[in-house]
Amino acid sequence: MSKKKQTKKTNSKNVQKVDEQQQPKKSNTLIFGGILLAISSIGLLIFVLSDKVFHLS
């Protein structure tokens, strides 16, 4: 019984290590996507506001 419990504990530790190694790649992608979305949103907002304020065209 104790050997089975020990193998389960080591397996869960191995799974956690794999998750920790894969996690930064996902978070970097999400951060990059969020920054890109924020920049494009701010650009669109500035364009719309400047069009309404200065009546371009």
Side-chain angles (χ1 to χ4, degrees):
M1 292 291 285
S2 62
K3 288 183 180 179
K4 288 182 181 179
K5 288 182 181 179
Q6 288 177 353
T7 55
K8 287 183 181 179
K9 288 181 181 178
T10 55
N11 287 341
S12 64
K13 288 180 181 177
N14 289 339
V15 170
Q16 288 176 355
K17 287 181 182 178
V18 170
D19 288 343
E20 289 174 358
Q21 290 173 356
Q22 290 177 354
Q23 194 173 11
K25 291 182 181 179
K26 292 180 182 178
S27 64
N28 286 342
T29 305
L30 288 175
I31 291 171
F32 180 71
I35 291 172
L36 191 63
L37 181 65
I39 290 172
S40 61
S41 299
I42 291 170
L44 183 64
L45 179 68
I46 290 171
F47 173 74
V48 169
L49 288 178
S50 65
D51 189 35
K52 290 191 174 207
V53 170
F54 299 115
H55 303 292
L56 301 174
S57 76

